Amino acid sequence: MQIEIPTTLIDAVRQARHLAVLTGAGVSAESGVPTFRDAQTGLWAQFNPQELATREAFARNPKMVWEWYAHRRELVGRAEPNAGHYALAELENRCRSSERVAKFTLITQNIDGLHARAGSKNIIELHGNIFHAKCFREDTRAANWLPTDEIPPRCPRCGSYMRPDVVWFGEALPRRALDESFRAAESCDVFFSIGTSGVVEPAASLPFVALQHGAVVIEVNPEETPLSASATFCLRAPSAAALTQLLAALGE
Ligand code: APR
């Protein structure tokens, strides 16, 4: 699929001193990552994710919620980064090259860790990471939990249950990640919004903040979104094809 990439878009990316990128579930679609809704197979088909991904559900039945996330971790763990993830890692790499020192901030709503596996470095995980856990009581993070026969495992510090380090329905986003994301949107000169429906706040506001601060905003999505009418450019294509062709157009 040949995608028309305007030269003014290429020039804006080439000249940017700070590139910010927001990604959503669409970027992982080509890796076959099951979305929240289609992760419901077999045993789990009878459960509604909106009722499992809450603090109340965990308090009521920690074992069931932990096991549901263990199931989702297994599905996500089998997925591999796709060409879109690799293209974003390469774009960051090029920003750091000797001829061109530009800042690069990758803000993702995805909890699958695929950007890091593809080699991206400066990543803000707005909705957490399914492979990490934190203490249900103290909210302190741990990249790993103690191996134990008990489900859920216990916090190594206080002995209370560990929970997945993801943002559940009704919860606030991590403060620091949110602040950094808004700072990036305010200070970047080019902002990409890729594979996100742009309906879940506060992430949905980020491209509009970037526009208000004068950035060129580029949407990559096969479908129209609430951002489309305001974006400076829209590439109506899947992210893997659009981003690899953009890299090629940017040249070495
Ligand atoms: N390339 C780019 N975009 C794609 C592709 C693709 N190959 N396939 C689908 N899309 C687009 C869809 O058109 C849609 O606009 O990706 C978007 C996915 O939208 P959502 O499923 O709403 O995902 P997202 O925007 O990440 O949702 C935000 O909502 O469900 C919660 O917490 C969850 O982080 C998630 C948040």
Side-chain angles (χ1 to χ4, degrees):
M1 173 201 256
Q2 193 56 39
I3 300 157
E4 183 94 25
I5 304 180
T7 45
T8 41
L9 184 164
I10 296 163
D11 289 343
V13 175
R14 274 205 190 115
Q15 286 156 18
R17 277 156 301 130
H18 183 181
L19 277 163
V21 179
L22 170 68
T23 65
V27 169
S28 293
E30 290 164 273
S31 294
V33 172
T35 66
F36 221 57
R37 276 148 281 275
D38 54 35
Q40 313 309 301
T41 52
L43 249 185
W44 295 103
Q46 55 182 307
F47 295 100
N48 175 358
Q50 306 235 1
E51 284 163 21
L52 287 170
T54 68
R55 216 179 150 77
E56 295 70 31
F58 188 86
R60 230 178 2 251
N61 196 338
K63 184 167 186 285
M64 184 172 81
V65 173
W66 183 270
E67 284 181 333
W68 180 57
Y69 275 96
H71 165 72
R72 294 190 64 209
R73 254 196 313 275
E74 206 185 299
L75 297 176
V76 168
R78 279 193 231 132
E80 295 294 333
N82 65 57
H85 294 108
Y86 287 115
L88 288 172
E90 173 59 18
L91 194 57
E92 178 173 10
N93 232 347
R94 290 190 191 178
C95 284
R96 279 214 220 89
S97 68
S98 47
E99 322 73 82
R100 163 142 189 249
V101 185
K103 196 172 168 197
F104 187 93
T105 311
L106 178 55
I107 307 160
T108 188
Q109 297 167 89
N110 300 341
I111 59 174
D112 54 32
L114 289 177
H115 284 303
R117 279 173 59 198
S120 285
K121 299 278 183 301
N122 192 19
I123 308 171
I124 301 173
E125 291 182 316
L126 262 188
H127 292 172
N129 184 313
I130 196 167
F131 296 101
H132 294 182
K134 61 183 180 183
C135 173
F136 183 62
R137 190 168 73 191
E138 298 175 324
D139 213 42
T140 43
R141 286 183 182 191
N144 273 306
W145 45 90
L146 293 176
T148 158
D149 288 341
E150 206 182 351
I151 297 173
R154 297 279 183 173
C155 169
R157 270 163 43 102
C158 76
S160 127
Y161 284 133
M162 296 296 284
R163 56 162 280 184
D165 188 7
V166 298
V167 176
W168 280 335
F169 290 105
E171 288 189 318
L173 270 58
R175 190 71 257 168
R176 210 170 127 199
L178 196 58
D179 289 347
E180 281 176 12
S181 303
F182 275 91
R183 268 205 303 276
E186 285 162 13
S187 62
C188 68
D189 18 55
V190 170
F191 186 101
F192 281 91
S193 175
I194 311 175
T196 175
S197 54
V199 291
V200 179
E201 289 293 355
S205 295
L206 291 167
F208 291 96
V209 170
L211 277 171
Q212 279 157 15
H213 284 79
V216 166
V217 171
I218 304 162
E219 176 174 74
V220 179
N221 197 317
E223 308 287 333
E224 256 190 45
T225 76
L227 172 66
S228 305
S230 311
T232 324
F233 299 101
C234 293
L235 301 180
R236 282 275 159 265
S239 49
L243 294 171
T244 45
Q245 289 183 38
L246 173 66
L247 270 189
L250 285 168
E252 285 307 313

